[in-house]
Amino acid sequence: MKALVYEGVEHVAYRDMPDAAPQDAEHLIRVEAVGICGSDMHAYLGHDARRPAPLILGHEAAGVIVGGPRDGDRVTINPLVHCGTCTACQSGRVNICPNRQIISMPPREGAFAQYIAMPDRNLVTVPDDVPLAKAALAEPLAVSWHTARLGLEALHPAMDRRALVIGGGAIGLAAALALKAMGVSDVTITEPNDARRTYVASICPFNLRAETTETFPLVIDAVGFAATRQAASALVEPGGVIAHVGLGDGGGGLDIRRMTLQEITFIGTYTYTVEDFRQTASAIFDGRLGALDWIEMRPLSEGADAFRQLRNGSVAVPKIILTPWE
């Protein structure tokens, strides 16, 4: 099969790889759409030791089951494979399962390929009227759905339901959409990149700013650099909540003294639960997350160019979706 393979720092190559081989209780899936994620970029830049070269990256995927009792079923893929038996899994928190695996990390190859094998429980059926390119957004949208849900659950009931999202990329935009779907009508996004801010403003009715000095009860950091954590620390109201989902760098930025003196809650959020993923998929299918027309389709064979353009900041669209069969 053809695949886009990470071969070293800032080097991915489109080449032949061994065919995906389903194990027991797994299905073979013909991948029809797969998104480029920020974590793929971290690996591409050599910033993620969990993804050593050579490796097929990609974990935001949808496709069609080939063979077996579900042959022909259109599915979106939950890439997080959990053990199902540990305390975390038994309590529904599969995202912190100590034995979890995710495609695009060893031992599981990713979905920048024509085929992938996945367990049945990781597949959600996609209605015939939903394009698979939109269904592939279930994974990044579920990350943000999980963050928005945890942030709102932690917010004191006496506080206003207003939110700031730092970052207008795919995760930030998805967080804003999730907040809207959860009933938060007042959502502001800050995004310093002029082209990206203009693009997001053209597709979504959010308050878009390059920066702000206004404070908010809930702040979602969808970037995760020291500078954005510093901004989140300054812009959250006393008694408010910071939900941190970005993985830009590893440390610095938080004003721990202010957070302590003003009882600000900080929540680190990682991926999603099975229920979060299914709720997100349902919200995509019934239109609660909007038109989801902020994607750009490209052939998988041109994936190397897409990575280079994302690296140099010349892509305004929040999400590039690769198609392995063009």
Side-chain angles (χ1 to χ4, degrees):
M1 67 178 183
K2 293 293 187 181
L4 188 67
V5 183
Y6 168 58
E7 297 192 330
V9 178
E10 299 194 30
H11 183 208
V12 292
Y14 181 70
R15 61 182 176 87
D16 290 315
M17 290 290 285
D19 290 343
Q23 304 300 310
D24 291 343
E26 290 188 343
H27 297 283
L28 182 66
I29 301 155
R30 174 184 160 115
V31 178
E32 298 291 346
V34 54
I36 300 178
C37 176
S39 60
D40 296 318
M41 286 302 301
H42 293 159
Y44 176 75
L45 295 173
H47 297 165
D48 191 347
R50 303 172 302 169
R51 291 178 165 94
L55 182 68
I56 303 174
L57 299 174
H59 58 270
E60 304 175 353
V64 179
I65 295 176
V66 178
R70 296 185 63 184
D71 181 57
D73 279 6
R74 306 168 77 247
V75 294
T76 186
I77 296 170
N78 179 341
L80 191 66
V81 181
H82 58 282
C83 74
T85 59
C86 69
T87 300
C89 286
Q90 291 296 304
S91 64
R93 303 179 73 190
V94 301
N95 56 319
I96 55 173
C97 167
N99 304 306
R100 68 182 181 266
Q101 299 175 351
I102 189 167
I103 61 174
S104 80
M105 287 187 194
R108 290 185 174 270
E109 298 280 5
F112 287 152
Q114 292 179 318
Y115 293 96
I116 192 167
M118 291 298 296
D120 184 78
R121 68 185 181 186
N122 285 71
L123 306 178
V124 176
T125 301
V126 178
D128 290 340
D129 62 342
V130 176
L132 288 173
K134 289 187 179 181
L137 294 173
E139 198 282 337
L141 287 166
V143 170
S144 299
W145 185 280
H146 179 69
T147 301
R149 177 178 65 80
L150 290 182
L152 289 173
E153 287 176 356
L155 195 62
H156 193 281
M159 300 194 77
D160 293 337
R161 288 168 67 87
R162 294 185 300 108
L164 169 67
V165 177
I166 299 175
I171 295 298
L173 177 54
L177 291 170
L179 288 166
K180 288 278 191 179
M182 294 175 187
V184 180
S185 59
D186 189 346
V187 180
T188 296
I189 301 174
T190 54
E191 170 53 61
N193 183 295
D194 291 340
R196 176 164 286 175
R197 191 172 64 256
T198 299
Y199 185 90
V200 173
S202 72
I203 57 173
C204 293
F206 295 112
N207 302 317
L208 264 293
R209 303 174 187 174
E211 58 183 4
T212 185
T213 58
E214 184 181 355
T215 59
F216 296 82
L218 172 61
V219 177
I220 293 178
D221 182 351
V223 182
F225 283 102
T228 56
R229 285 188 290 273
Q230 184 177 22
S233 295
L235 297 174
V236 64
E237 291 183 358
V241 176
I242 298 171
H244 191 275
V245 61
L247 287 171
D249 64 25
L254 287 178
D255 185 343
I256 299 300
R257 181 175 177 82
R258 178 170 189 260
M259 292 173 64
T260 301
L261 293 175
Q262 298 190 342
E263 292 197 348
I264 293 165
T265 299
F266 178 90
I267 305 173
T269 71
Y270 177 70
T271 62
Y272 33 77
T273 67
V274 171
E275 184 59 24
D276 285 323
F277 191 92
R278 291 190 175 276
Q279 287 183 4
T280 302
S282 293
I284 291 172
F285 302 158
D286 65 23
R288 278 177 289 147
L289 292 172
L292 301 179
D293 53 0
W294 35 269
I295 60 177
E296 180 181 317
M297 307 291 293
R298 300 191 187 187
L300 183 67
S301 58
E302 298 176 11
D305 287 337
F307 270 87
R308 282 192 289 270
Q309 290 169 20
L310 287 165
R311 172 69 176 91
N312 65 30
S314 62
V315 177
V317 65
K319 178 64 63 177
I320 291 177
I321 299 286
L322 302 177
T323 56
W325 297 94
E326 293 186 17

